[in-house]
Amino acid sequence: MSTVSIKDNSRIEATTLAPVKDIVAAVSDRSIARLSQEGLLVFPQSIQDSPDLDECQMVLEKDSGGYRSGNLMGYLGYQDEQLVIDSRFASSAGDFFLQYMMYRVLNIPNLSSLSIQSDLSTRLFQFHVFMFPYCLRGALRQGIYRTYIQHKYNDSHIRGRIDIPRHITTNIPFTGNIAYDVRELTADNPLTQLIRHTMEYIALQPYGSTLLGNIRKEVRYIIECTPSYRRANRSTVLEYNLRHPVNHAYFTQYRMLQQLCIIILSNQRHAFNGQENRLHGILFDGSWLWEEYVDSLIGDSFFHPRNKLKEGKQHLFEGGTGPIYPDFISRSKQHPIIADAKYKPISNIHKEDYWQILAYMYRFDSKLGIFLYPDAKQTSRKELHMLQGTTFHGDVKAREDIIVAKLGLSIPDTAVDYADFISRMSPCEKAFRTGLLNTFNTY
């Protein structure tokens, strides 16, 4: 088994990736949209859910003499090769920052139980199981999945097509019943049965009660919707869902939930040990995780429009033209402040990022914009003052009323374990909030 670990937003030499050449060949210079269609799980569940994760983004992009990684983190496997993409803040002790963001954003309290010493196949399988509550919540927000199922009845209240052969076999001599078939729209269907089987499987795991305990309401609802559940039908239900992927135009969240359930019930940790002949794995968009994590820190002071849920949509022009979703808009109506969460390194914030935040500032009549980013250094703040004048007239000077600030959150990189990381993050988060408040006061 060949395993290579790399970090996000980094340049990797070709020789480093040589042991996983088949994975590199499968993902390099291929869009994340295409890889998602081939079965690779990517969170958030839709490319359109994350403004920073466009369809053309790649896991690995060829560079001169090597490759460059982006904001995607996670695990990939292909035959006997495994590629781990950690956050750039990971240390030799583990990628605690990724685990911490997933805990804060996805509400996975027992993710810390993933031992960095455990084999990669087990960790990958557990990651899929731990994502089940999040995917189930997202799917049920769209409502329970219903589809038409052919049901067979034999009673005196005929309300469908008479099944003559079955009626002759069953009801001769005649006893008053009629055998008939009815096509009914029901929530008790192969997909909800698949979800039920997955819940029952997870419940048997050592961490199952804790994991399902966080979604008691959703679990109870699925149980109520699947009265025909039988443990003996698991293989049949699994096989049906393998042949019938969800393609409903409305129930989009159920597609990934179906994939996740299939992986869990197929117990593909064995496949991850080299018996799987196709690319598989799970990836997380660092930009999305970072933005949602920042919201958990500053949500009391900022509105957070969400492209994913179509919440808080704003417009550039009248008549609903030019829809926009700024990451954060301060709750102060008198002195609005625009904040933009950037997961990428501060050195990679380029002109497009400046143009975007300045456009938002102009639209909302704001004099202050802030980039919020994770930093390996001490929490710091830097100000950029807008210029006025031109070099042609020799009157270029800095304005004092238009400011773009950069505020970094220090990420501990010397923690010995996950518990130590959490204790070190607390003062860093406090310093981050203090720096933000000081920016408010300065403004």
Side-chain angles (χ1 to χ4, degrees):
M1 180 68 66
S2 301
T3 302
V4 173
S5 295
I6 61 175
K7 295 185 177 182
D8 71 70
N9 288 281
S10 304
R11 189 183 181 281
I12 306 100
E13 295 294 335
T15 53
T16 303
L17 294 172
V20 290
K21 62 181 185 303
D22 290 335
I23 291 181
V24 173
V27 303
S28 63
D29 290 338
R30 298 183 68 195
S31 69
I32 196 64
R34 182 173 178 181
L35 293 175
S36 297
Q37 294 173 356
E38 295 176 3
L40 191 66
L41 298 184
V42 182
F43 289 87
Q45 299 180 43
S46 170
I47 302 298
Q48 290 77 22
D49 289 348
S50 175
D52 296 311
L53 183 60
D54 61 67
E55 296 185 355
C56 297
Q57 184 170 331
M58 302 171 188
V59 179
L60 291 173
E61 188 173 2
K62 287 183 179 178
D63 198 2
S64 55
Y67 298 87
R68 181 164 293 280
S69 59
N71 287 331
L72 295 167
M73 298 170 283
Y75 304 88
L76 296 172
Y78 183 76
Q79 295 185 356
D80 61 346
E81 299 178 356
Q82 296 175 333
L83 176 64
V84 182
I85 308 177
D86 288 324
S87 77
R88 60 185 182 278
F89 303 101
S91 64
S92 58
D95 191 359
F96 304 129
F97 183 52
L98 175 58
Q99 292 187 28
Y100 185 67
M101 285 199 296
M102 292 180 65
Y103 160 69
R104 294 293 296 268
V105 174
L106 303 176
N107 190 28
I108 306 177
N110 56 340
L111 184 61
S112 59
S113 66
L114 283 176
S115 171
I116 194 63
Q117 281 78 32
S118 63
D119 67 276
L120 182 61
S121 301
T122 301
R123 289 164 58 199
L124 180 52
F125 177 75
Q126 287 179 321
F127 258 118
H128 285 90
V129 174
F130 289 147
M131 293 308 301
F132 177 78
Y134 171 78
C135 288
L136 180 59
R137 285 197 196 98
L140 288 180
R141 276 197 292 266
Q142 294 185 324
I144 191 66
Y145 184 85
R146 299 178 187 273
T147 189
Y148 283 98
I149 299 294
Q150 193 84 359
H151 286 145
K152 298 180 180 296
Y153 293 96
N154 186 47
D155 54 44
S156 59
H157 307 290
I158 182 170
R159 49 193 174 89
R161 183 180 61 84
I162 298 176
D163 187 342
I164 296 177
R166 185 161 61 90
H167 175 71
I168 294 174
T169 302
T170 307
N171 299 316
I172 300 297
F174 184 65
T175 59
N177 292 333
I178 303 293
Y180 62 93
D181 299 337
V182 179
R183 192 166 181 263
E184 298 176 311
L185 185 65
T186 177
D188 191 4
N189 53 65
L191 180 56
T192 52
Q193 285 286 334
L194 179 74
I195 299 171
R196 174 72 181 277
H197 281 284
T198 306
M199 285 169 22
E200 299 293 341
Y201 174 82
I202 293 176
L204 299 177
Q205 307 308 309
Y207 42 76
S209 58
T210 302
L211 199 63
L212 297 179
N214 296 321
I215 51 170
R216 289 187 181 90
K217 181 179 178 181
E218 291 82 357
V219 168
R220 185 167 57 251
Y221 189 39
I222 293 296
I223 292 175
E224 292 173 353
C225 291
T226 52
S228 65
Y229 166 79
R230 299 293 183 273
R231 169 63 181 85
N233 296 336
R234 182 167 297 177
S235 297
T236 303
V237 170
L238 181 59
E239 183 63 27
Y240 180 91
N241 280 272
L242 283 168
R243 297 195 313 268
H244 299 85
V246 175
N247 293 313
H248 200 285
Y250 175 75
F251 293 106
T252 55
Q253 302 294 321
Y254 278 90
R255 175 57 182 145
M256 179 165 285
L257 178 60
Q258 183 189 46
Q259 289 179 287
L260 202 61
C261 291
I262 290 173
I263 290 174
I264 293 171
L265 292 181
S266 299
N267 201 7
Q268 288 192 4
R269 56 183 155 188
H270 300 302
F272 298 152
N273 284 324
Q275 301 173 18
E276 182 62 69
N277 293 317
R278 65 179 180 84
L279 183 70
H280 55 271
I282 184 168
L283 294 173
F284 302 91
D285 174 27
S287 297
W288 171 70
L289 279 174
W290 169 248
E291 181 180 322
E292 295 302 314
Y293 165 59
V294 169
D295 181 54
S296 71
L297 298 178
I298 68 172
D300 56 341
S301 301
F302 285 83
F303 295 111
H304 179 34
R306 285 180 169 86
N307 183 43
K308 174 181 177 180
L309 301 178
K310 304 302 180 184
E311 296 177 350
K313 181 191 296 185
Q314 307 296 309
H315 296 90
L316 284 173
F317 309 103
E318 62 181 350
T321 302
I324 55 175
Y325 291 88
D327 287 350
F328 299 98
I329 306 174
S330 68
R331 296 180 182 272
S332 172
K333 184 176 180 180
Q334 186 176 5
H335 299 288
I337 296 175
I338 304 300
D340 192 6
K342 292 295 182 186
Y343 177 71
K344 60 186 178 182
I346 194 64
S347 58
N348 289 351
I349 294 181
H350 299 305
K351 56 186 179 181
E352 290 83 2
D353 302 307
Y354 294 130
W355 292 343
Q356 182 187 59
I357 199 169
L358 286 172
Y360 289 163
M361 290 168 61
Y362 185 76
R363 159 63 179 84
F364 297 102
D365 197 23
S366 171
K367 306 297 183 183
L368 176 62
I370 309 174
F371 288 115
L372 306 174
Y373 65 98
D375 197 348
K377 301 178 182 179
Q378 186 176 1
T379 298
S380 59
R381 176 173 174 268
K382 180 181 179 181
E383 287 188 359
L384 301 173
H385 290 258
M386 186 76 172
L387 293 177
Q388 63 181 11
T390 67
T391 56
F392 304 111
H393 297 102
D395 58 350
V396 177
K397 63 178 181 180
R399 298 177 57 170
E400 295 299 325
D401 59 336
I402 304 294
I403 300 172
V404 173
K406 298 179 180 180
L407 181 64
L409 170 61
S410 178
I411 309 301
D413 58 359
T414 58
V416 296
D417 55 33
Y418 186 68
D420 183 37
F421 179 86
I422 294 177
S423 66
R424 291 170 183 259
M425 275 298 294
S426 181
C428 293
E429 291 175 340
K430 183 177 180 181
F432 181 74
R433 285 183 55 85
T434 301
L436 188 61
L437 291 175
N438 289 339
T439 303
F440 271 110
N441 295 334
T442 301
Y443 178 67

